[in-house]
Amino acid sequence: MLGLQIPCDPQIVIGAESPLRWPLERDPFKIGNRIAVQPMEGWDGTADGAPSENTVRRWQRFGRSGAKLIWGGEAVAVSHEGRANPNQLLAAPRTQQKLAHLRSELRREHIHTTGSDDGLVIGLQLTHSGRYCRPNEQSRPEPRILYRHPLLDRRLKLAPDYPLLTDKEIEAIIEDFHRAAFMAWQMGFDFVDIKHCHGYLGHEFLSAHTREGRYGGTFEGRTRFLREVVQGIRSIAPGLHIGVRLSAIDTVPFHRDPSQSVHGKPCTGVAETHPDLVPYRWGFGVNPLDPTDSDLSEPQRFLSLLEELGILLVNITAGSPYYNPHVQRPALFPPSDGYLPPEDPLVGVARQMEATRELKQRFPNLLIVGSGYSYLQDFLPHVAQAAVREGWVDFVGLGRMVLSYPEMLWDASEGAQMQRKLVCRTFSDCTTAPRNGLPSGCYPLDPYYKDSDLAEKLKEAKKR
Ligand SMILES: Cc1cc2nc3c(=O)[nH]c(=O)nc-3n(C[C@H](O)[C@H](O)[C@H](O)COP(=O)(O)O)c2cc1C
Ligand code: SF4
């Protein structure tokens, strides 16, 4: 018995009565239903940062999902140096028209599914990858870090004198965010997400307790980046709304314990902790006295700040795919470079749901999207409906499920036959592929990938 609290409706309600179809109006937003598509990157842009055919197809499928809230599409870098991989999309004058095409294709498919684009809200997720930059070659990390992290620096093999981003360089990055947001506004996006999650730069600011100078130390210093990004966007793109995706809870990095590895096969993940590192000063949403546990006090303060800044759209996620993937995307099967889950993946689902519920209760005026539901598989519609109905969350965000079965929640609330063979089973190939330099996609279930040369290449890569 896991003793978890997860709401679950036995019957799915169909049509306009379905909680998943309830519209949500809160000035200035009118969002047509409670289904959201999470940002899902494909590692499949061109070398100069434009979308490829695969990218366009993914965005069309986002549209076909019937979701009325599209949270950012995928991570789009604000500068070449800030890209997480050489195929990440880039907001630049040369890519602008093609990025705009993604939005219009998504909208077209959305109208095809739902009959209209009333209440459709589309954002663009803007990012700088910070510690996880790999702009030029998949095999060459080029980290840009804000402070020395005793565990992550070691993992990235960074020398003790590895340079930190200077305040001047940070100011230039803030201007990149302004430029990228202005482009998004010109392209007709309704909002931009100033990404603060998953270990990337925005998230690293929040844990920069040990950084000296204007952008670290106190809560005020650690949130200065956000405030300056927001201030600039408001002055140059006044009609553009702003959202924030936040890793609201976190824990220490996990790794596979090599002493337990059999024939190089993944083994259970273990937490990297050390008594010398307590109180823990290198995390956000982490309990400093027991860093294996989360602590919502600073995230609550952060959400209060968002309210003060007039930011209503908030997307709650957790942890990082780089240092504790079982927290961020609960799965039964790890990616090739991962570890077996150290807990029942349902515990991970419940953890994100509970944190989101607590934040929703404290901040009823914010429009909150929840994450990490895909492991629920066939139960996802039942849990999603109950979570919205009971007010745990305003929008249920679909991540991996949207790669395998984009229409899942639309079908469920339409009363259509569920396509069980498309239900994401958390095989993690969509993560294994990019870790091996291949585009991401649902290789096991989506015929587009399953029957392609890429599937052969992935098979070969897994054998290596
Ligand atoms: C292949 C892949 C790509 C992702 N790309 C992004 C991204 O670009 N931006 C982001 O904020 N999260 C990204 N995520 C995280 C998801 O948005 C989501 O938080 C996570 O998969 C957990 O939700 P789920 O259980 O519905 O999959 C990605 C996840 C996967 C598996
Ligand atoms: S590869 Fe497909 S089934 Fe596996 S986790 Fe990704 S979306 Fe789900």
Side-chain angles (χ1 to χ4, degrees):
M1 281 285 283
L2 295 171
L4 303 173
Q5 260 207 339
I6 295 183
C8 186
D9 282 349
Q11 296 295 333
I12 293 291
V13 183
I14 292 164
E17 302 295 303
S18 164
L20 295 170
R21 298 279 180 108
W22 290 344
L24 207 166
E25 277 191 39
R26 189 152 312 139
D27 197 31
F29 296 103
K30 261 174 109 168
I31 305 178
N33 63 35
R34 304 307 189 91
I35 311 169
V37 168
Q38 298 288 19
M40 295 296 290
E41 199 188 337
W43 288 258
D44 52 12
T46 61
D48 67 352
S52 65
E53 240 178 69
N54 287 0
T55 325
V56 174
R57 176 182 183 268
R58 190 171 52 258
W59 281 61
Q60 288 168 337
R61 284 160 64 85
F62 292 167
R64 209 179 300 162
S65 68
K68 289 284 183 187
L69 178 57
I70 307 295
W71 190 285
E74 65 187 273
V76 175
V78 297
S79 65
H80 172 73
E81 302 72 43
R83 289 166 94 184
N85 65 76
N87 297 96
Q88 186 168 48
L89 299 184
L90 174 65
R94 66 178 181 276
T95 61
Q96 187 165 359
Q97 227 181 346
K98 290 182 175 153
L99 293 176
H101 179 64
L102 290 177
R103 182 186 161 277
S104 52
E105 281 297 296
L106 184 153
R107 182 175 162 271
R108 194 170 59 80
E109 288 289 332
H110 175 85
I111 294 172
H112 189 70
T113 299
T114 69
S116 113
D117 66 350
D118 286 353
L120 174 64
V121 172
I122 309 177
L124 191 68
Q125 183 177 59
L126 299 181
T127 188
H128 185 293
S129 304
R131 194 170 278 274
Y132 298 105
C133 291
R134 278 173 198 252
N136 295 307
E137 279 176 47
Q138 179 64 27
S139 56
R140 196 170 86 221
E142 299 178 45
R144 310 304 318 270
I145 60 171
L146 295 171
Y147 61 87
R148 301 197 198 289
H149 192 299
L151 301 171
L152 296 179
D153 284 8
R154 197 169 58 196
R155 191 174 280 211
L156 293 169
K157 301 190 177 62
L158 303 184
D161 60 350
Y162 192 83
L164 304 183
L165 276 168
T166 63
D167 285 4
K168 260 220 140 11
E169 286 171 316
I170 291 172
E171 284 161 18
I173 291 172
I174 290 172
E175 281 176 23
D176 289 335
F177 271 86
H178 296 160
R179 254 194 307 272
F182 184 66
M183 276 183 223
W185 188 43
Q186 285 180 320
M187 288 185 259
F189 283 94
D190 299 297
F191 73 98
V192 286
D193 165 23
I194 311 303
K195 186 173 188 179
H196 275 68
C197 59
H198 303 164
Y200 297 110
L201 190 71
H203 188 206
E204 182 151 313
F205 273 108
L206 301 180
S207 59
H209 299 272
T210 58
R211 184 185 169 95
E212 288 171 6
R214 297 181 69 235
Y215 294 99
T218 59
F219 181 78
E220 203 203 345
R222 287 179 284 124
T223 55
R224 189 180 311 280
F225 166 76
L226 172 75
R227 287 182 283 113
E228 292 186 355
V229 168
V230 170
Q231 199 178 23
I233 295 176
R234 292 262 162 81
S235 68
I236 59 169
L240 182 70
H241 300 297
I242 297 175
V244 171
R245 189 161 205 223
L246 175 71
S247 280
I249 47 172
D250 208 349
T251 176
V252 292
F254 272 61
H255 65 158
R256 52 163 92 169
D257 180 354
S259 68
Q260 286 181 37
S261 180
V262 183
H263 305 308
K265 291 259 182 250
C267 48
T268 307
V270 287
E272 285 183 42
T273 42
H274 197 279
D276 291 354
L277 300 181
V278 175
Y280 194 73
R281 300 172 69 217
W282 302 275
F284 177 77
V286 178
N287 179 346
L289 299 179
D290 174 7
T292 59
D293 200 6
S294 57
D295 178 354
L296 277 178
S297 40
E298 273 224 326
Q300 281 171 6
R301 204 169 159 197
F302 186 76
L303 262 55
S304 297
L305 172 66
L306 295 182
E307 272 194 330
E308 275 166 39
L309 292 172
I311 294 174
L312 291 185
L313 289 171
V314 183
N315 187 327
I316 301 299
T317 172
S320 161
Y322 296 98
Y323 58 77
N324 49 27
H326 71 285
V327 173
Q328 192 238 6
R329 49 180 83 154
L332 208 46
F333 305 94
S336 57
D337 62 348
Y339 50 78
L340 291 175
E343 62 188 11
D344 190 306
L346 212 47
V347 175
V349 175
R351 184 188 293 117
Q352 289 200 41
M353 287 189 71
E354 181 54 40
T356 309
R357 175 166 85 135
E358 264 186 73
L359 293 170
K360 178 66 213 168
Q361 278 177 348
R362 276 195 170 251
F363 297 91
N365 292 325
L366 295 180
L367 302 178
I368 295 194
V369 181
S371 309
Y373 294 88
S374 290
Y375 177 70
L376 291 164
Q377 305 177 45
D378 307 77
F379 292 97
L380 199 163
H382 299 263
V383 173
Q385 177 181 298
V388 170
R389 189 180 50 71
E390 293 185 17
W392 283 46
V393 75
D394 295 310
F395 301 91
V396 170
L398 296 186
R400 289 161 294 179
M401 193 63 79
V402 97
L403 298 182
S404 69
Y405 185 8
E407 307 87 347
M408 183 194 224
L409 289 180
W410 185 260
D411 279 357
S413 50
E414 192 80 348
Q417 176 80 30
M418 294 303 287
Q419 300 191 50
R420 294 202 57 218
K421 62 180 193 319
L422 294 182
V423 173
C424 168
R425 302 293 173 196
T426 66
F427 293 125
S428 288
D429 276 8
C430 49
T431 305
T432 295
R435 297 281 155 88
N436 287 282
L438 294 167
S440 177
C442 182
Y443 286 69
L445 305 180
D446 179 350
Y448 182 81
Y449 290 93
K450 198 162 127 185
D451 306 330
S452 72
D453 295 348
L454 290 172
E456 273 312 305
K457 287 190 184 152
L458 182 61
K459 231 187 258 169
E460 287 305 312
K462 277 174 156 179
K463 277 190 214 149
R464 265 181 256 132

